Amino acid sequence: MAENHPPAASSGLHHITAIAGDAQRNLDFYTGVLGQRLVKKTVNFDDPGTYHFYFADEVGSAGTVLTFFPFAGARRGVRGSGEATAVAYNVAADALPDWQARLARLGIDAVASERFGAPLLTFADPDDMAVELVGSAQPPQVRHWQGGPVGEEMALRGFYGTTLQVRNAAPSAALLRDSFGWHEVAREGNRRRFAAGAAAPQGNAAPGQFVDIVELPSLPAGRQGAGSIHHIAFRAADDGAQAAWQRHLAAAGLGVTDVRDRQYFRSIYFREPNGVLFEIATDGPGFLWDEPIEALGSALRLPPWLEPQRTRIEASLPALQVVGV
Ligand code: ZN
């Protein structure tokens, strides 16, 4: 193993990407209800007739970025094994009752519970994707978006983590532990929690520090559709670190892709042993290189290779009303 070890452990989640149905409804929920900023409005580079929305803190800090491909009329996905099934955000523990009240006022039913000693609220987004708010005494600092409907004391503080549902936890756990350099920090029934670095189960300095693996041996495979999480992305500090990951994953027989230019980061993809699609994304260049901070998300951004088709692409995308920006 030693000769095929990546040079640095991944320091946390970079972004999570999911599939939505109606674009406007998705936009309204993540900005208007959860107070996330639309930091980038672009298209699916592999399918330019579909939007790609990026919701994050004010600047799109790594570990705060939830992205969606909204497909009008998309069939709803079926949760199953071999996929990520929940997106968890950090909030201040004090803010959880206010969140429960806010969600109830907006007609969203949130269930309060506790996991590994931390309080949490669980609810569904409009496409039935599970969203969790995990309370901690000292949630990570992010760049709060002042233009949103949620005050700083209630603000989402980036990802807490995500949950993977798998039929056999052992090989996925081994990947996180041996390749990613993460540590198992808690176990409860069939749920095992892995943390980047030496983070404790509660309280952490950076967002996106936890991945839970839930083992359900007889669960059928999921079917991707609206409300499904498409992939989760881990951070690589730079291109060199990503290249080292690519060599490591290829040597481990994991079928990693070549580097794809996603304009705001560069990406490689592979399927972990239970079939969950993983990505390793560079921290740079980030979301500020093609728009000033005050204008993030306000115009449709296209990569250079799609600019010649802008008129046709704009005509094929549904019109959106962006409020509160
Ligand atoms: Zn991605």
Side-chain angles (χ1 to χ4, degrees):
M1 286 302 288
E3 65 279 14
N4 185 29
H5 204 276
S10 176
S11 63
L13 296 172
H14 181 282
H15 67 270
I16 296 176
T17 293
I19 302 166
D22 185 73
Q24 183 74 54
R25 190 177 63 177
N26 177 253
L27 177 63
D28 290 346
F29 184 81
Y30 284 94
T31 59
V33 175
L34 294 188
Q36 297 302 94
R37 186 180 191 191
L38 178 68
V39 293
K40 201 62 66 180
K41 182 170 59 177
T42 181
V43 295
N44 181 342
F45 295 171
D46 304 319
D47 173 16
T50 303
Y51 280 119
H52 193 183
F53 293 155
Y54 290 77
F55 301 109
D57 72 353
E58 183 187 29
V59 295
S61 304
T64 74
V65 184
L66 180 60
T67 97
F68 284 94
F69 298 124
F71 295 96
R75 188 167 66 162
R76 190 152 283 184
V78 179
R79 298 297 96 77
S81 67
E83 61 180 342
T85 54
V87 173
Y89 285 99
N90 291 290
V91 294
D94 297 356
L96 280 176
D98 296 334
W99 269 109
Q100 191 154 25
R102 172 177 172 76
L103 292 167
R105 211 162 48 239
L106 295 167
I108 298 156
D109 210 16
V111 176
S113 62
E114 196 177 293
R115 185 184 295 150
F116 297 125
L120 78 155
L121 282 181
T122 304
F123 51 96
D125 86 352
D127 293 295
D128 206 29
M129 188 186 89
V131 180
E132 298 168 340
L133 304 183
V134 181
S136 40
Q138 291 181 300
Q141 292 298 327
V142 299
R143 291 279 298 263
H144 177 61
W145 177 43
Q146 303 287 349
V150 173
E152 191 153 12
E153 66 290 344
M154 275 179 71
L156 307 191
R157 308 278 199 94
F159 295 136
Y160 187 84
T162 186
T163 298
L164 313 182
Q165 278 187 177
V166 303
R167 295 182 79 147
N168 177 13
S172 299
L175 177 76
L176 287 178
R177 193 180 54 229
D178 301 336
S179 290
F180 283 63
W182 289 36
H183 305 281
E184 184 167 348
V185 291
R187 193 186 286 221
E188 196 172 86
N190 63 348
R191 179 181 291 266
R192 297 163 70 173
R193 173 158 295 172
F194 290 81
Q202 293 184 53
N204 48 305
Q209 297 289 290
F210 299 107
V211 170
D212 287 5
I213 299 178
V214 172
E215 184 176 69
L216 294 159
S218 55
L219 187 71
R223 192 183 70 211
Q224 293 266 301
S228 297
I229 295 171
H230 187 260
H231 64 265
I232 64 172
F234 294 84
R235 295 174 68 174
D238 54 31
D239 293 321
Q242 185 183 58
W245 274 102
Q246 195 180 32
R247 288 191 295 274
H248 170 78
L249 294 164
L254 282 165
V256 63
T257 67
D258 55 3
V259 177
R260 311 271 165 85
D261 179 3
R262 298 313 190 192
Q263 295 289 289
Y264 311 103
F265 43 86
R266 285 172 286 280
S267 302
I268 57 175
Y269 302 85
F270 67 100
R271 288 200 184 271
E272 60 81 54
N274 275 281
V276 185
L277 187 59
F278 277 14
E279 171 181 346
I280 297 191
T282 55
D283 278 359
F287 294 92
L288 293 167
W289 75 266
D290 66 346
E291 281 179 308
I293 187 167
E294 63 277 9
L296 283 177
S298 58
L300 181 72
R301 308 305 307 188
L302 296 175
W305 64 91
L306 291 176
E307 273 297 345
Q309 302 170 50
R310 175 175 282 273
T311 306
R312 189 159 58 82
I313 288 170
E314 284 182 339
S316 72
L317 292 166
L320 295 174
Q321 282 190 307
V322 179
V323 280
V325 174

